[in-house]
């Protein structure tokens, strides 16, 4: 075999290897895009909370992975159901970080894990200037409704809140706060 033909064969082999590598990279990129699309468009479902699970003795924390938060549910001393997202409004505005809450020692209220502000269960939703969990109003027109035995938070409401959270959130992830709301 002459040297010219050997050189052409070598060039063809290198070209084939480059084409194969390019195809592998394209396939990997397509897979990454598909996985990202699935992650971004995660299905958000309605959340149903049984009223029997909610008491005035201790707030419960319901995880909402799609929003990277919990929903706090508690009953006030006058029998009203209080709902809020487990995100301190004061820490957003004062410190520019995200923080969650935990039940206080005597289970009469919540304490922010960052700024240590305390809010009584009965005051949830009424003190917008203070550090408090982001309130959820029970309003069927907004997507949060109540039956005799359940509270339903619609997927549409949660999608709207996900958009709102993505616009207002800064700082660290809440994942460390979400593992155990009472630690």
């Amino acid at each position: 075999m002459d040297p010219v033909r050997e050189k052409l064969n070598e060039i063809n082999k290198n070209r084939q290897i480059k084409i194969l590598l390019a195809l592998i990279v394209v396939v990997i990129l397509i897979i990454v895009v598909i996985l990202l699309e699935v992650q971004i468009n995660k299905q958000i479902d309605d959340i149903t909370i049984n009223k029997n699970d909610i008491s005035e003795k201790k707030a419960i924390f319901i995880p909402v992975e799609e929003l990277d938060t919990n929903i706090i549910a508690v009953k006030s001393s006058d029998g009203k159901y209080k709902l809020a997202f487990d995100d301190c409004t004061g820490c957003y505005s004062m410190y520019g970080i995200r923080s969650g809450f935990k039940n206080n020692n005597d289970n009469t209220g919540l304490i922010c894990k960052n700024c240590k502000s305390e809010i009584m269960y009965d005051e949830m939703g009424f003190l917008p200037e203070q550090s408090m969990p982001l309130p959820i109003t029970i309003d069927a027109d907004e997507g949060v409704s109540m039956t005799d035995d359940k509270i339903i938070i619609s997927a549409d409401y949660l999608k709207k809140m996900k958009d709102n959270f993505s616009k207002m959130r800064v700082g660290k992830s809440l994942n460390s706060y979400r593992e155990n709301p009472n630690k």
Side-chain angles (χ1 to χ4, degrees):
M1 192 181 266
D2 65 48
V4 172
R5 201 170 288 280
E6 284 181 22
K7 188 68 171 170
L8 286 175
N9 284 340
E10 187 179 323
I11 290 171
N12 282 336
K13 284 182 186 177
N14 287 339
R15 190 176 295 152
Q16 289 172 349
I17 290 172
K18 288 178 183 177
I19 290 171
L20 183 61
L21 288 174
L23 285 173
I24 291 171
V25 168
V26 168
V27 168
I28 290 172
L29 287 174
I30 289 171
I31 291 170
V32 167
V33 167
I34 290 170
L35 290 174
L36 286 173
E37 178 107 3
V38 167
Q39 188 71 3
I40 289 169
N41 292 321
K42 253 188 194 176
Q43 178 66 31
I44 297 178
D45 296 321
D46 290 353
I47 293 178
T48 302
I49 307 167
N50 291 318
K51 287 183 177 178
N52 290 339
D53 294 339
I54 305 171
S55 78
E56 57 188 65
K57 300 200 185 319
K58 187 175 186 179
I60 61 170
F61 294 77
I62 301 129
V64 185
E65 288 183 28
E66 298 83 5
L67 274 63
D68 189 23
T69 192
N70 294 317
I71 291 175
I72 302 170
V74 70
K75 193 189 297 187
S76 62
S77 61
D78 62 359
K80 292 182 180 174
Y81 293 93
K82 305 281 186 141
L83 302 174
F85 289 105
D86 187 14
D87 297 275
C88 180
T89 57
C91 287
Y92 280 142
S93 60
M94 292 185 292
Y95 306 113
I97 64 167
R98 298 167 51 197
S99 183
F101 286 85
K102 65 180 180 178
N103 286 297
N104 65 9
N105 289 336
D106 60 357
N107 291 321
T108 57
L110 302 168
I111 297 174
C112 175
K113 293 182 178 183
N114 180 60
C115 68
K116 307 300 183 209
S117 291
E118 187 169 4
I119 180 125
M120 299 296 110
Y121 297 144
D122 287 348
E123 297 171 339
M124 282 177 55
F126 296 108
L127 304 170
E129 299 303 317
Q130 293 186 5
S131 295
M132 64 178 289
L134 187 63
I136 300 172
T137 304
I138 298 174
D139 181 349
D141 292 336
E142 291 292 317
V144 183
S145 58
M146 191 163 40
T147 66
D148 289 340
D149 60 344
K150 295 177 184 168
I151 297 172
I152 300 123
I153 303 170
S154 74
D156 288 339
Y157 176 82
L158 293 170
K159 286 175 189 168
K160 181 178 85 174
M161 290 309 296
K162 182 175 183 175
D163 291 342
N164 290 344
F165 281 166
S166 67
K167 291 174 189 166
M168 83 177 170
R169 283 181 166 168
V170 295
K172 64 183 182 178
S173 170
L174 290 174
N175 290 335
S176 61
Y177 294 107
R178 303 300 173 232
E179 292 169 6
N180 179 358
N182 294 311
K183 66 178 171 181

